[in-house]
Amino acid sequence: MLVKNFAFLLLVCPLVWATLLKDHSLAADTNSSLQGQVTSVSQLSDVKPTDWAFQSLQTLVERYACIAGYPDATYRGNRALSRYEFAAGLNACMNRISELIATGTNELVNREDLAVLQKLQTEFVTELATIRGRVDVLEARTATLEAQQFSTTTKLNAQIITAVSDSFGNSVGDDRDRSQTYFADRGRLNLESSFTGKDLLRVRLEFGNFLDSNGNSQIASVTGTGMTRLNFDTDSNNDLSIPHIRYYFPVSDSLAFIVGPTGIGYTDITDTVTPATIADDGNGVPSLFGSYSPLFRRGGGGAAVNWKLSDDLMLTLGYLADNPNFPSSNNGLFDGGYNTLAHLVYYGKQGAVGVAYSHGYGPGGRVNLTGGAGSNLAISPFGDNIATSSNIVGTQGYYRFSPHFQIHAWGGYIWANAESSGVSAISNGRGGTDSLSVNNGDHANAWFGAIGASFPDVGGKGNLPGILIGVPPHVSSSDIRKESENAYHIEAFYRWQLNDNISVTPGFWMILNPENNNNNDTQYVGLIRTTFDF
């Protein structure tokens, strides 16, 4: 059957035929009309419609339905065809008649047709041998690929990031620069399976060594602030884990669901509404704060729905629990930390804008309002041991002025409430903490924002220079402690796309008033990131 189907492709898909005819002596006979769709074997050259061979093959095709594709199973047209195209059609008829004989329907094949077929075979023996030789090679290659492929439903894609990085400037609350140049890596191996052609199951294997043995960012540990963190600084000791399992399945053209027991973030269920290259860990903005809005730095396990309200309007609703697979107190799917999201995005011809609302709750010991971005006080305004609820509203969007110039921006406001009472260690903005009393119902507010510009393909196809200026999360009012100054984040990077699989990105950013305190020295971070995508 493969030979038969391949012969048909040769006959009706001339671009495939031209690819096969790499030998100049075979390709020389290809008519210029082969650049378009061939609707009849008679559109080719060398064997004319008046030739006995043409008329004989036409009779065989019409009698035995050798070649599918014509509504009435007949040849049409009045132009000639190449000897090799003719041989392809002849080969299809030979296979068809052989099938009829093999299945016991040989009474349908009369002796006269067999005689004609034998005469045609003798006349075109050279061309048939060439075609069959090429088909045999392709069949062998196909069998090899089928034997060696990973899975019929699963493919592997991976991203390996390596980075040489360092920071400069006295550490927060210190009079010395404790940072050293370091070299670290992160790897993600994604096994992606589709069972219907529209759904997608992703299981991720991950390793890296950007974190210390306590699970803290190494660069943040020595600088004293999370404002210096890299976007991809995860994992420690290069231990292999499965941090992410996600299944996406549509139920209609306008409705799709996403579920996963672990490692599902807001970025896995909705669009960050910045250009795609900006939100990619390995190819976009290299800093943690600069990559996308802190509102979207929520994760866990749960479910979400994407509802396409119209061609240009998308609504996402999601629920993510911190530890959905731990059936103990303050854990589990509904008894523990969680985050819920409602995000409405409007897509225009040259950009998009979204409005998001997130509500969350963090039990004592697991409070993180900003996903690690911003000051320590903004991360846990009542201290980490005080259960905290939060409401965040944010807007984000981008606009492409031209194929080589686009801007993006985002901002948000946080309302936080203490959900328990006690004495808590509250960040003092100088690398230490103070013990302060917190009452159930105490309030704190924070805000953040950024604007950036990027220049796709400037300096070469696939390249991406970019700049960004922003204000990391800042506690502007609080019943416990607020921050009087703003930190400022200023960043520049240049992604140099070496080829489809490798990019190199020099990046640099500076933090004025780290930890939202002007008594701290300015921090400077530089890195060279190399990303391998395959």
Side-chain angles (χ1 to χ4, degrees):
M1 288 298 293
L2 177 60
V3 174
K4 172 191 172 185
N5 292 336
F6 183 73
F8 170 66
L9 287 174
L10 290 176
L11 205 55
V12 300
C13 298
L15 292 179
V16 175
W17 176 239
T19 301
L20 291 174
L21 296 182
K22 293 181 179 179
D23 187 328
H24 178 72
S25 64
L26 297 181
D29 291 329
T30 303
N31 189 280
S32 61
S33 65
L34 297 184
Q35 298 303 316
Q37 173 70 35
V38 175
T39 57
S40 169
V41 293
S42 62
Q43 291 183 5
L44 306 169
S45 61
D46 282 358
V47 182
K48 299 178 181 180
T50 56
D51 293 345
W52 70 271
F54 187 101
Q55 295 174 356
S56 298
L57 180 59
Q58 181 170 329
T59 300
L60 293 175
V61 168
E62 295 175 358
R63 184 170 297 170
Y64 299 105
C66 298
I67 301 175
Y70 296 96
D72 56 359
T74 61
Y75 281 140
R76 297 290 182 182
N78 55 11
R79 286 188 288 173
L81 45 114
S82 136
R83 288 183 63 86
Y84 291 98
E85 252 70 16
F86 183 92
L90 175 59
N91 190 64
C93 272
M94 293 172 61
N95 287 325
R96 174 59 177 163
I97 292 174
S98 296
E99 289 174 5
L100 292 174
I101 294 174
T103 55
T105 55
N106 53 303
E107 66 274 6
L108 298 178
V109 183
N110 60 52
R111 294 180 179 272
E112 292 78 7
D113 290 338
L114 289 175
V116 170
L117 192 62
Q118 183 175 7
K119 184 178 179 181
L120 289 170
Q121 184 178 3
T122 302
E123 177 70 19
F124 292 88
V125 62
T126 302
E127 291 81 5
L128 287 171
T130 300
I131 289 174
R132 288 173 177 172
R134 293 176 183 273
V135 170
D136 290 343
V137 170
L138 287 177
E139 285 183 327
R141 291 179 179 175
T142 299
T144 301
L145 288 173
E146 290 177 347
Q148 294 179 349
Q149 68 180 347
F150 177 78
S151 168
T152 57
T153 59
T154 304
K155 66 178 182 179
L156 169 68
N157 66 68
Q159 183 180 80
I160 307 297
I161 300 173
T162 64
V164 177
S165 184
D166 200 352
S167 65
F168 310 92
N170 292 337
S171 302
V172 170
D174 204 339
D175 58 358
R176 58 194 175 97
D177 182 353
R178 297 189 290 120
S179 178
Q180 300 292 328
T181 303
Y182 69 104
F183 182 39
D185 64 81
R186 190 197 75 181
R188 286 179 171 176
L189 310 177
N190 294 317
L191 302 174
E192 297 186 341
S193 305
S194 180
F195 310 102
T196 67
K198 295 181 179 180
D199 63 335
L200 181 67
L201 171 66
R202 179 193 297 134
V203 178
R204 175 177 295 158
L205 307 178
E206 184 171 303
F207 59 89
N209 59 356
F210 281 99
L211 304 182
D212 60 25
S213 57
N214 296 319
N216 299 316
S217 166
Q218 296 193 57
I219 192 169
S221 296
V222 296
T223 61
T225 176
M227 296 180 179
T228 57
R229 288 187 60 182
L230 313 179
N231 184 32
F232 41 87
D233 60 354
T234 58
D235 304 299
S236 58
N237 301 318
N238 275 321
D239 293 332
L240 186 65
S241 63
I242 305 177
H244 172 89
I245 301 175
R246 172 186 182 270
Y247 183 52
Y248 166 88
F249 59 98
V251 296
S252 69
D253 292 339
S254 60
L255 203 63
F257 289 90
I258 300 166
V259 297
T262 185
I264 304 298
Y266 279 0
T267 57
D268 295 305
I269 64 176
T270 193
D271 185 0
T272 60
V273 200
T274 58
T277 51
I278 297 297
D280 184 287
D281 290 356
N283 294 289
V285 179
S287 72
L288 181 75
F289 169 72
S291 55
Y292 51 83
S293 171
L295 182 149
F296 293 107
R297 293 198 174 277
R298 305 286 182 273
V305 57
N306 288 329
W307 183 12
K308 189 175 182 181
L309 302 176
S310 67
D311 289 340
D312 49 16
L313 200 62
M314 176 73 77
L315 175 65
T316 299
L317 301 173
Y319 175 89
L320 301 178
D322 285 351
N323 294 285
N325 48 354
F326 286 91
S328 60
S329 178
N330 293 327
N331 283 298
L333 188 60
F334 301 109
D335 180 24
Y338 67 87
N339 289 281
T340 59
L341 173 71
H343 189 203
L344 184 65
V345 183
Y346 171 79
Y347 294 92
K349 291 183 178 180
Q350 292 181 263
V353 62
V355 178
Y357 168 75
S358 176
H359 172 74
Y361 171 80
R366 295 204 305 272
V367 177
N368 190 340
L369 302 187
T370 66
S375 67
N376 291 323
L377 186 62
I379 291 171
S380 53
F382 310 114
D384 182 57
N385 64 312
I386 299 295
T388 304
S389 64
S390 63
N391 295 282
I392 309 176
V393 294
T395 183
Q396 43 281 326
Y398 70 93
Y399 188 82
R400 290 191 178 98
F401 290 92
S402 73
H404 302 294
F405 175 51
Q406 57 196 10
I407 63 170
H408 69 281
W410 38 259
Y413 198 84
I414 303 172
W415 292 266
N417 299 293
E419 299 294 340
S420 60
S421 301
V423 176
S424 182
I426 308 295
S427 172
N428 60 17
R430 288 288 292 156
T433 60
D434 296 324
S435 295
L436 300 176
S437 295
V438 179
N439 297 315
N440 191 339
D442 283 342
H443 301 284
N445 299 324
W447 63 276
F448 54 84
I451 183 170
S454 53
F455 310 89
D457 298 328
V458 169
K461 185 177 181 181
N463 293 349
L464 185 70
I467 57 175
L468 178 120
I469 300 174
V471 177
H474 159 86
V475 179
S476 57
S477 64
S478 174
D479 294 331
I480 304 300
R481 170 171 283 165
K482 68 177 183 178
E483 297 169 316
S484 57
E485 289 91 25
N486 293 325
Y488 297 96
H489 179 109
I490 303 171
E491 183 171 5
F493 67 97
Y494 187 96
R495 186 187 74 207
W496 179 27
Q497 196 72 40
L498 298 181
N499 54 45
D500 291 342
N501 304 103
I502 304 174
S503 68
V504 177
T505 307
F508 178 82
W509 61 96
M510 59 189 298
I511 309 297
L512 306 176
N513 305 327
E515 288 296 297
N516 294 313
N517 190 325
N518 60 11
N519 292 316
N520 296 322
D521 288 350
T522 298
Q523 290 285 333
Y524 304 89
V525 181
L527 89 164
I528 298 177
R529 177 187 65 197
T530 302
T531 303
F532 304 87
D533 292 291
F534 55 93

